[in-house]
Amino acid sequence: MKMSFAVLAVLATTLVAGQLYAQATESPIPHLVKQDGRFALVVDNAPFLILSIEDQDLGLESSWPPQAKDWENMEYLHANTVEVPIYWDRIEEQPGKFDFSSIDRLLTAAREHHMRLILLWFATWKNGSQHYMPDWMLSDPARYFHAVNREGEAVDSPSPFATASLDEDKKAFAAVMGHLKEADPQRTVIMVQVENETGDWKSVRDFSPAAQKYFEAPVPPEILKAMNVETTSASPNWRQAFGPGADEYFNAWATAKYVGEVAAAGKAVYPLPLDVNDALRNPFHPGPPGEPGAPGAYESGGPTDNVIPIWKAAAPAIDLLGPDDYQGDPAAYLKVLDLYHRADNPLFLPESGCPGCDPDSGDFTRYFFTVLSLQGIGYSESGNSPVPSLARNFVLVGPMQREIARLNFEGKLQAVAEPVHTKGGDQGDFRQTMRFGTWNAVVKYGSARFGPATTAWNATPEGRALVAQLGENQFLVAGYFCTVDFYPAGTEEQQKTEHIVDGTEQIPSALIDGKWQHRQFMRVEQGVYENGVFKLLRSQNGDATDYGLRFGEEPTVLRVTLGAY
């Protein structure tokens, strides 16, 4: 569907204005906070919503450091943050001699374009391999050794038991964090990812003599506790404690311990939030770990959903574990979000996309709204989805991202994304309901401009909506390709019975305490946020509201005041 960018251009100025921050004065260090089971990333003393582009799909790796066209692409997408790698092999080309000029260039360019940065430390691991170790380490595999498979053959993955590699990584990462502390008083960098997609593709674990010694030793007590293991042995080894899963769990512990030590070394110098990303296993059909090419094979040792507790126990310096969600099946994609939305883990997607998805599954960027519904602190797109669709999300939320982050942290925001259509299902009865005390917000999908909707969804799923409660009877409403309406709180059956009469839509009502309560819009205001303040553009009434609040392809934000009679 063709997207109108006229409104995007108008709102771009607002978005940039909302992202301006001091260039020279020292700002508070970004940090994560938790309240009532919800998390927030606090930047400049306020919750911050990460709207990010993961750089490699914009060509930053090949044209390193970023060129002008790359920053233009990010501005076009209305991102407020860029995830960009920094490379150990280029920063420490000679042992102990560090060159931070590439980081300084990134800081300067990001500030010029009013962007925040999440730096990705490509070091011991990058996608399961050690290809970003400095040449002087790669040329000495006896000292900085690889993992070994069952057959005793070295594989293309680093060993988490190579203490010499660990020591060098810790020193280098601490040096990077020390430089950031001195060079970035503005806090342009809001988080650092430690390594990238850790684990092994070619072996379920390291079978080297150094590893085997630990495998046959007792499992650390904190790991037994984290995994709720009860055994007849007071000090079980890995096989005794975990049986068939012992190899993978052992590798998760070893990898997490290594990465956790690197993270702790950096955080001791400069305590920025630190994250680790994960190359996922299929949450429904994981398959045998470590078997290349096998159906469902995945990287063993990384923070996959089955070993998150091990990572939490072994690497306490890591603040969050984030899934790189490329699941092509909508159910699997959403299951991943649920698995990483935990009481001990802020939800953040370091990478997201859907290459080669079934077109009937619709636009996967709509699941950004699902991340919001799970109180996520941010979302980063890899660039595999259509650019205009991603821009829709960021241009809608960007100008009010601080308000959205605050409302979400306070538990006042809910959001939905259009489900995959059930073939042959009854479209007319399909609705999604968000409950806010005395009011229920009901979402239907489709983009008819006036009159009763003829269908309850779009040709392919692309609808999305968010609703936030500003006061007892006042709400912030935004979305695309959907209709949002409000009912006085009552059961869904009571609402449905009154809402459809002889096939005609009526004013939303609910049977409460034996009496029908009918919704009325006291005021519907369309506007934009500027520096945290809602600026009225125009009021809506009549045809614009008689059949609910309709959202099409234009980025539209409404402030709605409700009443009942």
Side-chain angles (χ1 to χ4, degrees), residues 440-458:
N440 291 344
V442 177
V443 182
K444 297 189 301 180
Y445 296 100
S447 55
R449 182 68 181 88
F450 299 111
T454 56
T455 63
W457 50 46
N458 299 290

mmCIF file of all heavy atoms in Angstrom, residues 440-458:
data_model
loop_
_atom_site.group_PDB
_atom_site.id
_atom_site.type_symbol
_atom_site.label_atom_id
_atom_site.label_comp_id
_atom_site.label_asym_id
_atom_site.label_seq_id
_atom_site.Cartn_x
_atom_site.Cartn_y
_atom_site.Cartn_z
ATOM 1 N N ASN A 440 -13.541 0.170 28.444
ATOM 2 C CA ASN A 440 -12.895 -0.818 27.589
ATOM 3 C C ASN A 440 -12.677 -0.207 26.211
ATOM 4 O O ASN A 440 -13.609 0.365 25.629
ATOM 5 C CB ASN A 440 -13.757 -2.074 27.442
ATOM 6 C CG ASN A 440 -13.837 -2.869 28.736
ATOM 7 O OD1 ASN A 440 -13.042 -2.677 29.646
ATOM 8 N ND2 ASN A 440 -14.809 -3.767 28.808
ATOM 9 N N ALA A 441 -11.445 -0.322 25.705
ATOM 10 C CA ALA A 441 -11.137 0.107 24.340
ATOM 11 C C ALA A 441 -11.187 -1.123 23.441
ATOM 12 O O ALA A 441 -10.529 -2.122 23.719
ATOM 13 C CB ALA A 441 -9.765 0.765 24.277
ATOM 14 N N VAL A 442 -11.958 -1.050 22.362
ATOM 15 C CA VAL A 442 -12.157 -2.191 21.465
ATOM 16 C C VAL A 442 -11.604 -1.833 20.092
ATOM 17 O O VAL A 442 -11.902 -0.768 19.540
ATOM 18 C CB VAL A 442 -13.652 -2.563 21.371
ATOM 19 C CG1 VAL A 442 -13.853 -3.709 20.384
ATOM 20 C CG2 VAL A 442 -14.176 -2.959 22.751
ATOM 21 N N VAL A 443 -10.800 -2.737 19.527
ATOM 22 C CA VAL A 443 -10.141 -2.507 18.248
ATOM 23 C C VAL A 443 -10.668 -3.495 17.224
ATOM 24 O O VAL A 443 -10.779 -4.692 17.483
ATOM 25 C CB VAL A 443 -8.612 -2.668 18.379
ATOM 26 C CG1 VAL A 443 -7.926 -2.383 17.036
ATOM 27 C CG2 VAL A 443 -8.071 -1.743 19.462
ATOM 28 N N LYS A 444 -11.021 -2.963 16.053
ATOM 29 C CA LYS A 444 -11.347 -3.773 14.878
ATOM 30 C C LYS A 444 -10.434 -3.311 13.754
ATOM 31 O O LYS A 444 -9.907 -2.204 13.788
ATOM 32 C CB LYS A 444 -12.813 -3.599 14.472
ATOM 33 C CG LYS A 444 -13.807 -4.062 15.522
ATOM 34 C CD LYS A 444 -15.222 -4.067 14.981
ATOM 35 C CE LYS A 444 -15.640 -2.674 14.509
ATOM 36 N NZ LYS A 444 -17.021 -2.674 13.983
ATOM 37 N N TYR A 445 -10.267 -4.159 12.740
ATOM 38 C CA TYR A 445 -9.293 -3.862 11.698
ATOM 39 C C TYR A 445 -9.959 -3.641 10.357
ATOM 40 O O TYR A 445 -11.016 -4.201 10.049
ATOM 41 C CB TYR A 445 -8.252 -4.972 11.618
ATOM 42 C CG TYR A 445 -7.448 -5.039 12.892
ATOM 43 C CD1 TYR A 445 -7.726 -5.986 13.876
ATOM 44 C CD2 TYR A 445 -6.445 -4.109 13.150
ATOM 45 C CE1 TYR A 445 -7.014 -6.022 15.059
ATOM 46 C CE2 TYR A 445 -5.732 -4.118 14.328
ATOM 47 C CZ TYR A 445 -6.021 -5.080 15.287
ATOM 48 O OH TYR A 445 -5.320 -5.087 16.468
ATOM 49 N N GLY A 446 -9.320 -2.823 9.536
ATOM 50 C CA GLY A 446 -9.867 -2.373 8.272
ATOM 51 C C GLY A 446 -9.749 -0.868 8.221
ATOM 52 O O GLY A 446 -9.622 -0.213 9.258
ATOM 53 N N SER A 447 -9.819 -0.299 7.025
ATOM 54 C CA SER A 447 -9.548 1.139 6.901
ATOM 55 C C SER A 447 -10.665 1.891 6.195
ATOM 56 O O SER A 447 -10.419 2.877 5.516
ATOM 57 C CB SER A 447 -8.225 1.349 6.151
ATOM 58 O OG SER A 447 -8.249 0.686 4.908
ATOM 59 N N ALA A 448 -11.919 1.428 6.324
ATOM 60 C CA ALA A 448 -13.037 2.174 5.742
ATOM 61 C C ALA A 448 -13.107 3.566 6.370
ATOM 62 O O ALA A 448 -12.970 3.708 7.573
ATOM 63 C CB ALA A 448 -14.337 1.424 5.961
ATOM 64 N N ARG A 449 -13.324 4.580 5.553
ATOM 65 C CA ARG A 449 -13.270 5.954 6.069
ATOM 66 C C ARG A 449 -14.538 6.339 6.814
ATOM 67 O O ARG A 449 -14.491 6.929 7.873
ATOM 68 C CB ARG A 449 -13.024 6.923 4.898
ATOM 69 C CG ARG A 449 -12.899 8.381 5.334
ATOM 70 C CD ARG A 449 -11.626 8.584 6.148
ATOM 71 N NE ARG A 449 -11.497 9.960 6.596
ATOM 72 C CZ ARG A 449 -12.005 10.436 7.725
ATOM 73 N NH1 ARG A 449 -12.696 9.650 8.514
ATOM 74 N NH2 ARG A 449 -11.814 11.693 8.070
ATOM 75 N N PHE A 450 -15.718 6.052 6.253
ATOM 76 C CA PHE A 450 -16.972 6.427 6.892
ATOM 77 C C PHE A 450 -17.911 5.226 6.894
ATOM 78 O O PHE A 450 -17.793 4.303 6.093
ATOM 79 C CB PHE A 450 -17.647 7.594 6.163
ATOM 80 C CG PHE A 450 -16.816 8.846 6.131
ATOM 81 C CD1 PHE A 450 -16.271 9.314 4.945
ATOM 82 C CD2 PHE A 450 -16.569 9.552 7.293
ATOM 83 C CE1 PHE A 450 -15.515 10.461 4.918
ATOM 84 C CE2 PHE A 450 -15.811 10.705 7.272
ATOM 85 C CZ PHE A 450 -15.275 11.160 6.083
ATOM 86 N N GLY A 451 -18.891 5.269 7.788
ATOM 87 C CA GLY A 451 -19.927 4.244 7.813
ATOM 88 C C GLY A 451 -19.460 2.964 8.473
ATOM 89 O O GLY A 451 -18.302 2.800 8.824
ATOM 90 N N PRO A 452 -20.394 2.013 8.687
ATOM 91 C CA PRO A 452 -20.043 0.744 9.329
ATOM 92 C C PRO A 452 -18.989 -0.003 8.529
ATOM 93 O O PRO A 452 -19.011 -0.023 7.293
ATOM 94 C CB PRO A 452 -21.377 -0.020 9.335
ATOM 95 C CG PRO A 452 -22.426 1.042 9.197
ATOM 96 C CD PRO A 452 -21.812 2.108 8.353
ATOM 97 N N ALA A 453 -18.023 -0.613 9.248
ATOM 98 C CA ALA A 453 -16.983 -1.394 8.585
ATOM 99 C C ALA A 453 -17.597 -2.617 7.936
ATOM 100 O O ALA A 453 -18.459 -3.282 8.506
ATOM 101 C CB ALA A 453 -15.924 -1.810 9.602
ATOM 102 N N THR A 454 -17.160 -2.915 6.725
ATOM 103 C CA THR A 454 -17.692 -4.086 6.026
ATOM 104 C C THR A 454 -16.901 -5.343 6.360
ATOM 105 O O THR A 454 -17.389 -6.445 6.184
ATOM 106 C CB THR A 454 -17.643 -3.857 4.506
ATOM 107 O OG1 THR A 454 -16.297 -3.545 4.127
ATOM 108 C CG2 THR A 454 -18.536 -2.695 4.128
ATOM 109 N N THR A 455 -15.660 -5.198 6.815
ATOM 110 C CA THR A 455 -14.866 -6.334 7.266
ATOM 111 C C THR A 455 -14.190 -5.964 8.571
ATOM 112 O O THR A 455 -14.078 -4.792 8.922
ATOM 113 C CB THR A 455 -13.780 -6.720 6.244
ATOM 114 O OG1 THR A 455 -12.861 -5.647 6.104
ATOM 115 C CG2 THR A 455 -14.382 -7.055 4.894
ATOM 116 N N ALA A 456 -13.739 -6.973 9.295
ATOM 117 C CA ALA A 456 -13.105 -6.734 10.581
ATOM 118 C C ALA A 456 -11.592 -6.744 10.492
ATOM 119 O O ALA A 456 -10.925 -6.647 11.491
ATOM 120 C CB ALA A 456 -13.568 -7.789 11.585
ATOM 121 N N TRP A 457 -11.055 -6.889 9.287
ATOM 122 C CA TRP A 457 -9.613 -6.828 9.163
ATOM 123 C C TRP A 457 -9.207 -6.415 7.752
ATOM 124 O O TRP A 457 -10.028 -6.281 6.853
ATOM 125 C CB TRP A 457 -8.949 -8.136 9.557
ATOM 126 C CG TRP A 457 -9.498 -9.389 8.933
ATOM 127 C CD1 TRP A 457 -9.806 -9.624 7.634
ATOM 128 C CD2 TRP A 457 -9.768 -10.612 9.626
ATOM 129 N NE1 TRP A 457 -10.242 -10.897 7.462
ATOM 130 C CE2 TRP A 457 -10.230 -11.540 8.666
ATOM 131 C CE3 TRP A 457 -9.648 -11.033 10.948
ATOM 132 C CZ2 TRP A 457 -10.587 -12.853 8.994
ATOM 133 C CZ3 TRP A 457 -10.001 -12.330 11.271
ATOM 134 C CH2 TRP A 457 -10.458 -13.222 10.299
ATOM 135 N N ASN A 458 -7.895 -6.239 7.589
ATOM 136 C CA ASN A 458 -7.354 -5.798 6.317
ATOM 137 C C ASN A 458 -7.083 -6.997 5.406
ATOM 138 O O ASN A 458 -7.105 -8.153 5.840
ATOM 139 C CB ASN A 458 -6.057 -5.029 6.564
ATOM 140 C CG ASN A 458 -6.286 -3.797 7.428
ATOM 141 O OD1 ASN A 458 -6.896 -2.825 6.987
ATOM 142 N ND2 ASN A 458 -5.818 -3.848 8.658
#
